[in-house]
Each structure stands twice: as structure tokens, then as C-alpha cells.
Amino acid sequence: MAEFTTGEAVALHLPIARIPSRAGAFLLDLTLQLMLALTLQYALTVILLTTDADSAWLSVSMVVTVVTVLIAYPVCSETLTRGRSLGKMAFGLRVVRADAGPIDFRHALTRGLAGAIVDFWMLGAFGAVAVITSLSSRDGKRVGDVLAGTVVVHNRQAMPSPSLAVAPPWLTAWSARLDPSGISDELAAAARRYLTRLPTLTPPTQHYLGTQLVEAMCVELRCPQPVGYPPYHVLGAIMARRQQLSRV
């Protein structure tokens, strides 16, 4: 399991896909790619022979087949399905961003190019580079994942719901006047971790860390601190307001 922090500073714990499941998905995708390559090359060869094209066009058709199979297939499939090739679908895997969000064309293209050039084929020694880098990474990332800022996770089992902050009723009116857009993601993530770990902290630590976070929050919010409330009440109200606006 690995912890991901979303743009709303919500902590998610997702199971990382390791080499056995990723290798199974890769081999299934490879089988489909070989079938696609044979079909595409056969079709192009028939077309070229019926049009009396010279041998140079045959070389062009081979390049088109290689590019389509090695790059276009993974890029298009992961873009259209938001991170799931056919092999990944069969093994219950998905490519996600570092914040657990869905990937887009840019991420898929980076992964596809790195896979064809570095991880598997041209410089990858038939996948040796991908295996070594994945084993060396805490999150099982190959070179393409590192460059794209992505992680491959399991998504078949039910994912745990993120714990959301709740504003105390007596601070709801105060927090409703706040504009939390100025709060940095780093500070919001620190506040989320504090609220999540609160039951495990001693009272002095709760007060000290909470006071520091409240002061930093109010500086970025450009508002005075509410007086007479525990720090975790104030942080809960601020984070609840931030989450509320992020869903609008």
C-alpha cells in the first residue's frame, strides 16, 4: 500500500502493482500487439503488392507497423481508458498520477515513448531495464512512470474511502467566510496528516503542532485566528471549507 495525497489534501491508500501482476498484463498486451502487428503488416503488404509499389514502400510499412504496435497501441489505449490497456484491465491494474488522479494523453505518451525506447525495446534489453528500475523503486515505478509522474495500482478491490475533515458547528459560520484558495498544497497536506494522526499524538504535541499549523493557515488566509477553540477544531473547519469548494 502507498499513500497518495490528492489536490484536496485527502490521503488515499492504494495497493501498488508489483512485477508479477504487471508482467502478466505486459505479456497479454504483448500477445495482442503481436497479433495487431501481423494483421497490420499483412494488410499493408497486400495493398502494396496490388498497387505495384516499390520495395521502399515495404520498408515504410514496416516502420508504420512498429510505431503503431509499440507506441500507438499503449498510448491510445491508456489515453482512451484513463490508464488501462487491455492487459491491465484483465489483471485489474490502472495507471494513475502521483496524486491518484486519472492520467491524460501527456502521461500516456511519455510512458509509451519511454517504454519503447528505454524500458523494453530499443535500450531496454527486452524489459531488463524496466524490471531493475521497478525493483529499485518503493512504488514499483519503471523509467516511464518516473518521467510521467505516474504509478500503477490495483483497482479491483474496493478502495478505502478518504477521511474527510468536518467543520465543528460552532465554526461553520466563520469558515463559510474564508477563501482557502490561497492555502498551499504543502500546508494543506500537513494539516490533513495532523488531523489524521491526531488520536496518536500526546496532548502537548497536539497543541503545539496544531497551533503552528493554525498560525500558518491564518497567515495564508489573511484572517485573524478564532480565539478560544482547540487548534484541531479550527483546522477541521478550514479543511472542510477547502474540500467543499473543491467539489463545486
Side-chain angles (χ1 to χ4, degrees):
M1 299 286 284
E3 180 176 306
F4 298 80
T5 302
T6 69
E8 295 79 31
V10 176
L12 294 176
H13 293 273
L14 303 179
I16 297 296
R18 298 298 178 181
I19 287 181
S21 56
R22 293 186 67 171
F26 173 78
L27 291 175
L28 179 54
D29 279 326
L30 181 60
T31 301
L32 296 173
Q33 286 172 287
L34 289 175
M35 295 172 60
L36 175 62
L38 293 174
T39 303
L40 181 59
Q41 188 60 49
Y42 175 79
L44 291 176
T45 301
V46 170
I47 293 173
L48 293 176
L49 290 177
T50 55
T51 57
D52 292 329
D54 57 34
S55 58
W57 282 105
L58 183 59
S59 299
V60 171
S61 70
M62 295 180 66
V63 173
V64 170
T65 299
V66 171
V67 172
T68 300
V69 170
L70 296 186
I71 300 178
Y73 170 84
V75 171
C76 291
S77 60
E78 290 186 359
T79 300
L80 294 175
T81 61
R82 310 303 291 274
R84 304 181 71 193
S85 64
L86 294 175
K88 290 183 177 67
M89 288 182 186
F91 281 80
L93 308 181
R94 181 186 294 274
V95 183
V96 298
R97 301 194 310 256
D99 63 353
I103 66 171
D104 55 24
F105 173 74
R106 175 175 58 86
H107 302 96
L109 180 61
T110 303
R111 282 174 47 81
L113 291 174
I117 298 173
V118 181
D119 281 316
F120 299 110
W121 307 120
M122 298 182 186
L123 304 175
F126 299 100
V129 171
V131 171
I132 293 172
T133 53
S134 182
L135 288 174
S136 303
S137 170
R138 181 190 64 181
D139 295 330
K141 295 183 177 182
R142 62 176 175 87
V143 176
D145 291 313
V146 174
L147 296 178
T150 57
V151 184
V152 181
V153 299
H154 288 276
N155 70 339
R156 265 188 177 162
Q157 64 188 81
M159 299 301 179
S161 299
S163 54
L164 301 178
V166 179
W170 45 89
L171 286 174
T172 302
W174 173 79
S175 63
R177 298 192 297 270
L178 300 179
D179 178 12
S181 60
I183 298 176
S184 65
D185 290 340
E186 293 77 12
L187 183 57
R192 168 60 59 184
R193 287 193 295 270
Y194 169 80
L195 292 173
T196 302
R197 296 173 52 218
L198 188 66
T200 67
L201 303 176
T202 62
T205 303
Q206 289 180 10
H207 179 75
Y208 175 76
L209 293 179
T211 300
Q212 298 295 316
L213 288 170
V214 169
E215 290 177 355
M217 284 275 192
C218 288
V219 168
E220 295 196 357
L221 288 170
R222 299 180 181 179
C223 71
Q225 300 180 34
V227 180
Y229 301 104
Y232 64 88
H233 284 186
V234 180
L235 292 173
I238 295 173
M239 295 303 296
R241 176 64 173 166
R242 191 173 192 265
Q243 291 164 182
Q244 177 188 13
L245 293 181
S246 70
R247 295 194 295 267
V248 175

